[in-house]
Each structure stands twice: as structure tokens, then as C-alpha cells.
């Protein structure tokens, strides 16, 4: 019948569309593999330790963001925080517990700000803040900002102006040319791939001059830079701080989640307008409690931060002796390689010798600008750092000579 023919035609068309999608997926996987851009996951059987069990092998780990080595600490969890594993809903429904309230109070006092708002991750914090605040603004974004900032700008559907990395002169040129009534400047505090630090004082001066609102993501600064590890504002001894400072609990604090620091008005606005806050299940009370204990530990002692800084300086000196570039005093020390294929080869050679370093490739960095992203933890020992320097120097030296390792 006519209906049967039509149904059969519709079924065939749907199958063809499905096949077209699958064909695209398969061709993209083939392309990614041929360009050395296909990612594969490793499996950890231990916490993020300097010596971790990865894919069943004991590896010296130099790729973790567990900067203060808090991720494996066995904090004494307060009895009042026995609130279960799941939060059961978003913060505005059933997902707001005494754990969440207490951590936000700790963040306000720790950083000395009027408002702190917890998000499920640092990524959702960036996406939520920019999509909520940037709707009617022109956003000025550093070309090397994190993907979560880029995605937040896209979701805001705002005009986005990209300025050259860390170039305050280029930023000012673009601000001068802008006719936007609302302007937002957004930048990483510590850049996640290069490990360099935003010139916060100059950034804030430009914001004041051009009446712009400022947002800084200090995910890789917290616990690492600043006299006591409080991040970029303390690092510069700034008398002022960004209008919104974004942080994460999943790196130096060894837990999960993100947060914003701001004025009371902005904090209230985000709770009512940031979609990633409103429509996302809130953090597990367990993770919130672990983060709270981590901040308490930082308040009591700078020992972990001091150990990390000592390791950073030691590794910088070692890299310099190897003839490698030395960046800012952060826990991220990129080793430039170049081609994606070469980066994969060197990472594989180091893996075979028991060193876990992540090869960073496009789109995290530009095509042909692959790096080995070396990150440090407070609990790395001098012997472990020396072992890495020796293996890295050996791998790079022999790879230049075309010798397979």
C-alpha cells in the first residue's frame, strides 16, 4: 500500500542518515589517528601519588594537577559532615547541605570576599559565569585561555574579541577600538599549558581605564603561587582583585568542584542566572567536606606549599642545565617538542622507562606546537626529580639524533 511504501521510504532514509553519521565518525577517527591526535585513556589503581599504579604498572607520575599532594590525604572528616555521597539535586532544590554552606563560608573568610558560590566543576563555573554575565557585552579574551572560557564565551552569544597572548598593548588597542557599552576582560591567571602568569596589575589598570568588568580563572594558581599559596592576587600583592575570581577544588585542593569569588550582588545574580549552577546536580557532600579540610590545612600550615615551591625551583634549575626553556614559577613546566608525532614518540619512550608525562597536542595547543606537559607535586622527592631530568635529557638528546629509544 501507499502507507507501506512511504514507511519503507522513511525507514530507508533514516538508515541512510544513520549510516552517514557513522561514516563521518569512522572517517574522523581515522583522521585523528593519522594525525597523531587520537586520545586513549589510562587507568589508575591508586590515588594521584608521585609513584602511581597506572595500567597495572608502577609509574613516576608527572602529569597530575594534585599540586599540594592533598588528593591522597586522609583527612579526619567531621562527624557533622556525614551527609552521604550524593547531593540529590541542584543547589536551588535539594542539593544544598550544611557542607556546601560551610565551605562557601570558609571560602569567603579564606579569601576575604563578600560572596563565594560553589559549582560542580571549574569548567561549569567558567561556562556559567560567562554565559550569565556576557549576554550583552563584548568579551575580550586571551588567545590561550582555557577551553571552558572559550565555551563560556560561545554560550553567551556575545561579540568576542581575541587579543594576543599576555599582550596588554594589543588588549588596549582592541579596547580603544570598541564601541561596546559593556566590556568584559577574561583571562586565565596561570595558563594551563604554558604555565605563565597573567600580568594582573596591568590587566586591572586597563579594566579601570576602559570601564571593563574583569573575570580571572585562577584554577592553576590556587595552592601554587602567592606567598602562602592563595593564588594570583596574593602573588602580586594586589590591592584590588578581579570582579569575579574563579577557582577549582580539583587541582591543588585534591577534591572536586569549582567556585567563584565576587561581590554579594554578582554572587546572587549567578545563583539565579548561571544555568550550570541552576540546572546541575550539586557537588557530593563528601567532596565538599574534603575541600573544606584542605582549606583548613592551608590555613594551619604552608608546609605543602613550601615543598611545592622548592620542587618547582629545583626542577627549573635542572631544566636550565639541560638546555630547556624555563618558564614562570608555577607547577606547570612545558617542554616544547613540535610535531605531534615526535611528542607521542618521546612520551612513549619515557613511558617505557616508567615516567608518565602527558603529550599535549592540538587543539589544546596549536598544530605543530606539541609539548610535554610536566607538572609537579609537593610530595615529589629530589631523587624522583633527578630521575625525570636524566630520562628527559636522554630521550630528547637521542631523538634529535634520530635514534629510536
Amino acid at each position: 500500500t501507499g502507507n507501506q511504501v512511504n514507511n519503507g521510504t522513511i525507514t530507508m532514509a533514516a538508515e541512510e542518515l544513520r549510516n552517514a553519521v557513522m561514516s563521518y565518525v569512522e572517517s574522523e577517527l581515522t583522521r585523528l589517528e593519522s594525525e597523531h591526535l587520537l586520545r586513549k585513556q589510562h587507568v589508575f589503581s591508586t590515588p594521584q601519588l608521585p609513584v602511581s599504579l597506572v595500567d597495572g604498572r608502577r609509574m613516576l607520575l608527572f602529569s597530575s594537577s594534585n599540586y599540594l599532594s592533598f588528593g591522597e590525604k586522609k583527612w579526619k572528616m567531621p562527624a557533622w559532615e556525614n551527609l552521604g555521597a550524593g547531593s540529590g539535586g541542584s543547589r536551588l532544590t535539594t542539593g544544598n547541605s550544611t557542607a556546601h554552606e560551610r565551605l562557601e563560608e570558609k571560602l569567603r573568610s579564606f579569601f576575604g570576599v563578600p560572596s563565594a558560590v560553589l559549582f560542580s566543576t571549574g569548567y561549569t563555573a567558567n561556562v556559567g559565569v560567562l554565559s550569565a554575565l556576557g549576554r550583552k557585552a563584548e568579551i575580550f579574551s586571551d588567545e590561550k585561555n582555557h577551553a571552558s572560557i572559550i565555551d563560556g564565551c560561545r554560550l553567551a552569544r556575545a561579540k568576542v574579541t581575541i587579543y594576543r597572548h599576555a599582550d596588554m598593548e594589543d588588549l588596549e588597542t582592541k579596547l580603544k577600538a570598541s564601541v561596546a557599552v559593556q566590556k568584559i576582560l577574561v583571562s586565565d591567571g596561570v595558563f594551563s599549558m604554558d604555565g605563565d602568569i597573567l600580568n594582573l596589575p596591568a590587566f586591572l589598570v586597563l579594566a579601570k581605564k576602559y570601564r571593563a568588568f574583569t573575570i580571572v580563572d585562577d584554577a592553576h594558581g590556587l595552592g601554587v603561587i602567592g606567598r602562602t599559596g592563595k593564588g594570583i592576587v596574593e602573588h602580586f600583592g594586589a590591592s584590588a582583585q578581579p570582579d569575579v575570581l574563579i577557582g577549582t577544588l580539583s587541582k591543588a585542593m585534591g577534591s572536586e568542584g569549582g567556585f567563584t569569588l565576587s561581590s554579594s550582588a554578582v554572587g546572587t545574580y549567578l545563583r539565579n542566572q548561571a544555568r550550570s549552577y541552576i540546572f546541575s546536580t550539586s557537588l557530593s557532600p563528601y567532596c565538599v567536606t574534603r575541600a573544606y579540610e584542605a582549606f583548613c590545612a592551608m590555613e594551619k600550615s604552608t608546609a605543602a606549599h613550601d615543598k611545592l615551591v622548592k620542587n618547582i625551583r629545583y626542577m627549573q634549575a635542572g631544566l636550565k642545565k639541560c638546555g630547556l626553556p624555563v618558564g614562570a614559577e608555577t607547577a606547570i613546566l612545558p617542554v616544547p617538542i613540535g610535531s605531534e608525532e615526535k611528542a607521542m614518540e618521546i612520551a612513549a619512550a619515557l613511558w617505557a622507562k616508567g615516567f608518565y608525562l602527558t603529550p599535549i597536542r592540538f587543539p589544546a595547543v596549536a598544530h605543530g606546537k606539541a609539548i610535554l606537559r610536566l607538572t609537579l607535586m609537593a610530595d615529589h622527592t629530589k631523587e624522583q626529580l633527578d630521575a625525570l631530568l636524566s630520562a628527559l635529557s636522554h630521550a630528547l638528546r637521542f631523538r634529535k639524533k634520530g635514534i629510536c629509544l
Side-chain angles (χ1 to χ4, degrees), residues 38-338:
L38 192 65
R39 271 74 173 175
K40 296 179 181 178
Q41 295 179 164
H42 297 290
V43 180
F44 280 74
S45 306
T46 60
Q48 304 276 295
L49 301 163
V51 180
S52 294
L53 196 62
V54 189
D55 294 346
R57 290 190 56 190
R58 282 171 55 86
M59 304 291 292
L60 273 173
L61 180 61
F62 286 98
S63 287
S64 176
S65 295
N66 182 25
Y67 301 131
L68 294 179
S69 298
F70 280 173
E72 70 274 12
K73 301 301 182 189
K74 292 181 172 61
W75 305 118
K76 185 179 179 182
M77 306 291 267
W80 58 267
E81 293 293 20
N82 185 19
L83 298 168
S87 65
S90 69
R91 292 289 301 280
L92 296 180
T93 56
T94 63
N96 189 39
S97 70
T98 54
H100 298 84
E101 292 287 320
R102 187 151 187 173
L103 178 54
E104 286 181 339
E105 180 185 339
K106 174 63 71 178
L107 289 167
R108 288 193 295 271
S109 64
F110 187 84
F111 291 102
V113 295
S115 176
V117 180
L118 286 175
F119 284 77
S120 297
T121 64
Y123 186 99
T124 58
N126 273 331
V127 167
V129 167
L130 284 159
S131 60
L133 292 171
R135 294 169 187 168
K136 296 183 179 181
E138 181 177 357
I139 302 175
F140 297 79
S141 180
D142 189 290
E143 66 179 341
K144 290 193 176 182
N145 276 340
H146 189 264
S148 56
I149 292 177
I150 295 169
D151 291 351
C153 291
R154 289 171 177 166
L155 286 171
R157 298 179 180 177
K159 178 182 178 181
V160 180
T161 298
I162 307 299
Y163 63 91
R164 289 193 298 269
H165 175 54
D167 189 335
M168 295 297 108
E169 288 185 8
D170 188 49
L171 173 56
E172 180 162 24
T173 298
K174 289 177 166 61
L175 282 167
K176 279 181 182 177
S178 174
V179 295
V181 175
Q182 296 182 27
K183 302 179 183 70
I184 292 177
L185 312 186
V186 61
S187 177
D188 282 355
V190 172
F191 288 86
S192 59
M193 294 299 123
D194 291 5
D196 55 332
I197 303 170
L198 167 70
N199 184 344
L200 182 62
F203 189 77
L204 295 177
V205 165
L206 286 179
K208 185 175 182 179
K209 182 176 180 179
Y210 293 95
R211 299 178 182 178
F213 190 90
T214 52
I215 301 171
V216 173
D217 176 10
D218 205 26
H220 294 278
L222 174 59
V224 179
I225 61 174
R227 184 178 57 82
T228 64
K230 285 187 177 181
I232 190 167
V233 174
E234 184 183 58
H235 174 75
F236 283 104
S239 57
Q241 70 172 41
D243 294 299
V244 179
L245 190 69
I246 297 171
T248 183
L249 307 173
S250 61
K251 296 180 175 29
M253 308 319 289
S255 185
E256 287 184 14
F259 61 88
T260 62
L261 308 174
S262 66
S263 68
S264 295
V266 170
T268 301
Y269 178 81
L270 292 175
R271 293 184 197 275
N272 285 273
Q273 293 295 317
R275 292 174 66 83
S276 60
Y277 177 88
I278 299 167
F279 297 108
S280 181
T281 298
S282 69
L283 285 164
S284 159
Y286 175 79
C287 293
V288 173
T289 304
R290 282 198 61 90
Y292 177 86
E293 293 301 314
F295 278 105
C296 289
M298 282 189 70
E299 283 182 324
K300 291 175 184 174
S301 171
T302 63
H305 171 254
D306 295 343
K307 285 171 63 180
L308 176 63
V309 170
K310 186 176 180 180
N311 281 346
I312 291 169
R313 290 174 179 167
Y314 186 84
M315 182 56 74
Q316 284 183 314
L319 291 172
K320 189 174 182 179
K321 286 180 182 177
C322 294
L324 292 168
V326 176
E329 289 193 1
T330 69
I332 301 167
L333 298 168
V335 178
I337 302 299

Side-chain angles (χ1 to χ4, degrees), residues 329-391:
E329 289 193 1
T330 69
I332 301 167
L333 298 168
V335 178
I337 302 299
S339 78
E340 287 77 13
E341 182 179 9
K342 187 186 292 185
M344 293 296 288
E345 286 178 1
I346 296 174
L350 290 167
W351 175 277
K353 293 179 178 292
F355 296 90
Y356 186 168
L357 271 77
T358 305
I360 303 295
R361 297 155 283 159
F362 180 83
V365 292
H367 269 301
K369 299 288 186 180
I371 62 171
L372 291 182
R373 185 172 180 270
L374 190 168
T375 59
L376 300 176
M377 294 186 279
D379 282 355
H380 278 128
T381 66
K382 179 177 177 294
E383 291 72 25
Q384 291 165 347
L385 300 181
D386 285 338
L388 173 63
L389 286 167
S390 176

